[in-house]
Amino acid sequence: MKRDSRLSLVLHALLHMAERDDPMTSDDLATCLMTNPVVVRRTMAFLREAGIVASARGHAGGWRITADLSTVSLRQLHDALGEPAIFAVGHRNAAPACLVEQAVNAALDQTFAEAEALLLARFGEITLADLSADFALRYAALVQQKEP
Amino acid sequence: MKRDSRLSLVLHALLHMAERDDPMTSDDLATCLMTNPVVVRRTMAFLREAGIVASARGHAGGWRITADLSTVSLRQLHDALGEPAIFAVGHRNAAPACLVEQAVNAALDQTFAEAEALLLARFGEITLADLSADFALRYAALVQQKEP
DNA sequence: TTTCATGTAACTTTAATAGTTATGATTCGG
DNA sequence: CCGAATCATAACTATTAAAGTTACATGAAA
């Protein structure tokens, strides 16, 4: 399978939307994200289901954020996207009859579970407001660099 | 992409080999692992490159372990397999020009790096001898259950 | 009513492993 | 030395889920 970059995509989209007051169309976002508007709609639809964004059709329509940036964590976004599988590596059979394979699975499963728990805990600590602040810092640094 | 189960496959194979003194053929292993002998050869070849197993052709040929079980960690096996990508999730561009995307990547990359470090550290602590001992426990438990 | 925008179905493309088929190259027993 | 056993490897196909594309329907507003 291809690498799942939907979390990255929605973060990128949300931060661009956060920099504006007006709604952004799927076409606008697709240009920012260098992808296709249908991919934007399809992916953002998960966030709409979760109540994080709203979409409107017709003139002056598009996507806008309905949640407070400081209350939306990466964990919530991951969950909104349907909690996709995090690991590209794993065991072959979920419930093997072979005792050897059971021992292998037990070791791998426990280790992957620990890493996943750490990852999701960190995701729970990072909000859109944090990313937005980080972007502001990067932007200020760029401006200062160009105008010393 | 399909899930990468090569680490699982080689662990399963190595533990079966550890239970025997004679070499096991690719066909034997393929039967144990419920897969194809060519898959076994292709995957075990990485471990041969790393000096963990040896293969012999012709009569009485096959695969045997050349390393001490207590010195081979899951981390070494992961490395021997070419350090395949662990995560099915990730960012879209490694070095984006967009500052927003840079902020997104920074947050994701750091979090994934932490989780990967934990995973690899745990893999470094687990040896084939550990898994073999776990299998022995499971086997003893099964025997006791059947002959109370 | 025309235009702008989302909603969505249906399809192709992508990328990497898993699985299969076929053939060549060794090794050993007889 | 011949033939069976076994690995080595190339060249395919199958699998899988996301990404991307095309096409058209739906709804809102000027």
Side-chain angles (χ1 to χ4, degrees), chain A residues 1-2 4-5 12 15-16 33 85-90 92 98 100-101 106-107 111-112 114 122-123 131 138, chain B residues 1-2 4-5 9 12 15-16 33 85-90 92 98 100-101 106-107 111 114 122 131 138:
Chain A
M1 155 186 33
K2 279 179 98 165
D4 183 347
S5 60
H12 193 171
L15 292 190
H16 273 292
L33 311 189
I86 289 175
F87 297 106
V89 173
R92 299 154 48 79
C98 171
V100 167
E101 195 164 7
T111 308
F112 281 113
E114 282 182 45
R122 289 279 184 277
F123 276 178
L131 294 191
R138 289 169 189 269
Chain B
M1 153 189 30
K2 278 178 97 163
D4 182 348
S5 59
L9 183 141
H12 194 170
L15 292 189
H16 273 292
L33 311 190
I86 289 175
F87 297 105
V89 173
R92 298 153 49 78
C98 172
V100 167
E101 194 164 7
T111 308
E114 281 182 44
R122 287 280 183 277
L131 293 190
R138 288 167 189 270

Side-chain angles (χ1 to χ4, degrees), chain B residues 64-85:
Chain B
R64 63 193 168 82
I65 300 179
T66 55
D68 188 317
L69 294 190
S70 63
T71 69
V72 179
S73 67
L74 303 204
R75 171 68 189 271
Q76 281 173 266
L77 294 172
H78 174 72
D79 291 349
L81 291 172
E83 306 180 50

Side-chain angles (χ1 to χ4, degrees), chain A residues 13-117:
Chain A
L14 288 166
L15 292 190
H16 273 292
M17 291 161 68
E19 295 296 308
R20 296 205 200 179
D21 283 338
D22 297 331
M24 289 183 74
T25 66
S26 301
D27 274 2
D28 293 341
L29 286 169
T31 302
C32 286
L33 311 189
M34 295 193 291
T35 182
N36 190 293
V38 176
V39 172
V40 172
R41 290 191 199 111
R42 186 195 285 154
T43 311
M44 295 293 284
F46 287 101
L47 305 195
R48 185 182 52 222
E49 294 297 313
I52 296 165
V53 300
S55 58
R57 299 202 247 205
H59 278 278
W63 299 88
R64 63 193 170 81
I65 302 179
T66 54
D68 187 318
L69 294 188
S70 64
T71 67
V72 179
S73 68
L74 302 204
R75 173 67 191 271
Q76 281 172 265
L77 294 172
H78 173 73
D79 290 351
L81 290 171
E83 307 180 50
I86 289 175
F87 297 106
V89 173
H91 56 236
R92 299 154 48 79
N93 302 105
C98 171
L99 282 182
V100 167
E101 195 164 7
Q102 286 178 22
V104 170
N105 280 4
L108 291 181
D109 288 350
Q110 188 189 336
T111 308
F112 281 113
E114 282 182 45
E116 177 163 346

Side-chain angles (χ1 to χ4, degrees), chain B residues 46-67:
Chain B
F46 287 100
L47 305 194
R48 184 182 54 221
E49 295 297 314
I52 296 165
V53 301
S55 58
R57 300 203 247 205
H59 277 277
W63 299 89
R64 63 193 168 82
I65 300 179
T66 55

